[in-house]
Amino acid sequence: MRRRAVTAGGAVLLLLLAGCSDDPGDSGAPPPVSSATTTVTVPTAPPAAAAAALGPTGPSTAKPCQGVPIPVGADPQTVIDAQPQGTTFCFAKGLHRISKPVRPRTGDTLGGGPGVVLSGSVRLDKWTQDGDRWVVRGVLPAPYALKGQCEDTKTKPCQRGEQLFVDGKHLTRVMSLGRLKPGTFFGDYAANAVYVADDPAGHAVEMSRTPTAIDKSADDVTVTGLTIEHFASRPQAGALQAGPGWTVTANEVRWNHAVGIMVIEGDGAELSRNTVADNGQLGIGQYKSAGVRITANLVTRNNTDGFWIADWESGGIKSTRSSGEVSGNDIVGNRGIGMWSDIAEYDRRITGNRIRHNAADGIRYEISYQAVIEQNVVEGNGFGTGRGSGGSLWDGGGINVNTSAGVQVRGNLVKGNRNGISIQSRTRGDGPRGRYVLADVVIEGNLVFMDDATASTGVVENKGSPTAQGAVTFRRNSYRFAGDSRTRFAYRGKTLTWPEWQQAGFDKDSVTG
């Protein structure tokens, strides 16, 4: 990857010789980024993303659909199968209840517009009173395999896909009748019964039941202008599952149990201008998919169903064993990590995003390879619970690079997070491109505000994976502190003052203020 100049308004240009130590820390590590002479700046102003506005997303931004109509109440698959592949299909305005996944063919377009809703729920209307609660029977599906790590590790409520909505309001699942109270529901799968504490008379009560809205049944499919809601997607699976060459644009994907949009073995897929909100586990997922572009989406308020905030794929966007671009997105207010690349990611670009107020790390790049994390606004993250939101650098930071090689973190605004920038070296084994090791990591040209009284920046390591000399470079950064600034850095298991941090070899040409 070629280095590019980091720019910021009003900054002073400095000349540097790019590159890291000749020793990457392990002979199995990927080769370091090639050295080059370039100019960078110590930043005095935020990156352009700080002043950028995402603009409208969702079905209102879709182009009008012109094609074969799919009326409300029709079986979409019957309409699709009656036409040649490569056809554009237009769902009519209204509520389409989907009882089985829609399977488009190669080149098909599934289109809609404002007011076109695909729902995976069924109406529940045969309620009977049972003491001080109400019950409906015979509506739950047959038993299925359970998985997923929940915040509640004892009763594990996040593993079940079916959710209840009363007049569109999401109820909270409880795991016993004794805990039933207003605003909650209990699903007794052994007795095939659903209980609520509030009288359902006069209210629309719906239960998500169908796991998937649209399946990745073919290549080069376009999905646009649809609202996709109330699907009982299983953990790590999506209500909308995209494949190779798919274009998913201008949709709203909301209130589904697990992942909103999941790209699975979907090389070259593009996701843009979608609103992905209030899904139970994760907004967008990506798995074994090369060259995917995720741009200009609103990803917000995901993990509504109690998945583990720290480390089990909850929050905004999570990608594994994939590559591509994540740029220009608003990733805001998710109960987990904002943007997470984990396990054998490679050639990843995370650029120009606004990643704010997520419960754990803003950006985490973990046991992976070459990446550029550039010109992002990473603000107010890490104040939830679990790893990624604690006071130690082991808990993470606004940006967290964990046991990865060839990573450049440059030109970002990192402001008001639980910690600033956390670099971690752990013992993590081998991957497809060599051993997972902390090597050739460059932190340059960032503007870092550590507003919390105990926020810090630095490098932490476990005993089995000491940080190799020269494996991490901090340079040309600007740091601002609120309150006491004496011990805001960490290295080799010690907290350091600013002079001690520089004496350790970091940020010798950086500034504080």
Side-chain angles (χ1 to χ4, degrees):
M1 294 182 293
R2 181 175 297 173
R3 298 179 185 273
R4 296 191 299 174
V6 177
T7 60
V12 179
L13 289 175
L14 298 170
L15 186 66
L16 78 105
L17 182 63
C20 293
S21 166
D22 292 335
D23 179 11
D26 186 88
S27 59
V33 177
S34 60
S35 297
T37 300
T38 186
T39 55
V40 299
T41 63
V42 175
T44 60
L54 177 61
T57 58
S60 66
T61 65
K63 296 179 180 178
C65 188
Q66 297 181 344
V68 176
I70 299 178
V72 172
D75 176 12
Q77 199 63 53
T78 300
V79 178
I80 291 169
D81 291 344
Q83 302 294 329
Q85 69 179 27
T87 297
T88 295
F89 298 94
C90 302
F91 284 87
K93 186 175 181 178
L95 180 65
H96 298 255
R97 293 199 184 272
I98 305 298
S99 60
K100 58 185 178 182
V102 177
R103 298 177 60 84
R105 295 83 42 81
T106 300
D108 282 352
T109 293
L110 302 181
V116 176
V117 179
L118 274 57
S119 173
S121 67
V122 294
R123 290 289 298 267
L124 302 183
D125 53 14
K126 295 181 180 180
W127 296 93
T128 59
Q129 191 165 358
D130 180 16
D132 59 354
R133 59 200 177 218
W134 284 260
V135 62
V136 61
R137 302 183 186 278
V139 296
L140 291 168
Y144 53 85
L146 301 178
K147 68 175 182 177
Q149 190 161 357
C150 311
E151 285 287 302
D152 179 353
T153 59
K154 293 182 179 180
T155 64
K156 302 178 181 179
C158 73
Q159 295 183 336
R160 301 283 188 179
E162 293 70 41
Q163 294 294 309
L164 246 64
F165 300 85
V166 177
D167 298 332
K169 182 180 178 180
H170 174 267
L171 301 188
T172 299
R173 179 189 294 277
V174 296
M175 298 301 286
S176 68
L177 269 178
R179 300 188 66 183
L180 193 68
K181 62 182 181 180
T184 69
F185 77 100
F186 170 60
D188 186 338
Y189 285 77
N192 199 345
V194 174
Y195 295 85
V196 295
D198 302 290
D199 185 353
H203 299 277
V205 184
E206 298 176 293
M207 183 185 75
S208 58
R209 183 179 170 102
T210 307
T212 306
I214 300 171
D215 200 10
K216 64 175 199 70
S217 51
D219 297 352
D220 302 321
V221 170
T222 296
V223 180
T224 182
L226 302 177
T227 295
I228 298 172
E229 66 178 20
H230 298 181
F231 283 84
S233 46
R234 305 293 190 252
Q236 296 182 307
L240 194 168
Q241 303 207 132
W246 281 47
T247 298
V248 179
T249 184
N251 302 282
E252 182 166 5
V253 184
R254 64 192 188 190
W255 292 115
N256 303 290
H257 172 62
V259 185
I261 303 173
M262 187 74 195
V263 182
I264 303 174
E265 297 178 338
D267 292 359
E270 297 192 10
L271 280 58
S272 65
R273 288 287 164 200
N274 300 288
T275 300
V276 190
D278 301 300
N279 294 287
Q281 177 197 344
L282 189 69
I284 296 173
Q286 182 180 342
Y287 177 70
K288 283 189 176 181
S289 302
V292 172
R293 297 182 71 244
I294 301 174
T295 62
N297 301 280
L298 173 61
V299 183
T300 187
R301 301 187 304 274
N302 295 287
N303 190 14
T304 61
D305 287 346
F307 287 84
W308 190 29
I309 289 174
D311 280 311
W312 206 84
E313 301 188 19
S314 65
I317 300 175
K318 170 74 183 290
S319 182
T320 298
R321 302 182 186 277
S322 300
S323 65
E325 173 187 348
V326 177
S327 65
N329 302 281
D330 276 8
I331 306 172
V332 184
N334 299 284
R335 294 188 67 249
I337 297 167
M339 171 60 211
W340 187 3
S341 282
D342 183 30
I343 308 176
E345 293 273 281
Y346 57 96
D347 294 337
R348 171 66 69 191
R349 298 190 67 87
I350 304 170
T351 63
N353 302 283
R354 293 160 296 278
I355 302 176
R356 306 187 302 271
H357 307 301
N358 300 286
D361 298 317
I363 298 172
R364 184 185 295 178
Y365 202 76
E366 183 170 3
I367 53 171
S368 292
Y369 309 96
Q370 276 71 17
V372 173
I373 301 171
E374 181 179 42
Q375 299 284 312
N376 301 283
V377 174
V378 184
E379 184 172 5
N381 301 285
F383 292 96
T385 61
R387 191 165 79 82
S389 56
S392 166
L393 286 174
W394 283 117
D395 295 311
I399 297 177
N400 176 0
V401 178
N402 181 341
T403 321
S404 296
V407 182
Q408 302 205 18
V409 180
R410 61 196 189 195
N412 302 281
L413 172 63
V414 182
K415 182 178 181 181
N417 302 283
R418 183 63 184 84
N419 283 305
I421 298 175
S422 172
I423 310 299
Q424 302 177 357
S425 181
R426 300 173 181 261
T427 304
R428 302 297 298 271
D430 297 325
R433 290 169 171 78
R435 181 183 174 188
Y436 294 126
V437 63
L438 186 67
D440 191 31
V441 175
V442 179
I443 315 298
E444 64 178 340
N446 301 284
L447 181 55
V448 183
F449 289 77
M450 289 187 277
D451 297 339
D452 191 81
T454 60
S456 59
T457 283
V459 183
V460 291
E461 58 193 27
N462 64 20
K463 292 181 180 179
S465 298
T467 305
Q469 187 68 32
V472 182
T473 300
F474 282 79
R475 63 189 177 206
R476 307 298 198 263
N477 299 295
S478 179
Y479 298 94
R480 314 288 172 84
F481 307 102
D484 189 352
S485 62
R486 288 177 296 177
T487 54
R488 292 303 191 93
F489 299 90
Y491 184 53
R492 301 288 190 196
K494 298 179 180 180
T495 56
L496 305 177
T497 64
W498 173 246
E500 289 170 338
W501 174 250
Q502 290 186 306
Q503 290 168 10
F506 301 110
D507 277 318
K508 290 186 175 181
D509 48 11
S510 300
V511 299
T512 62

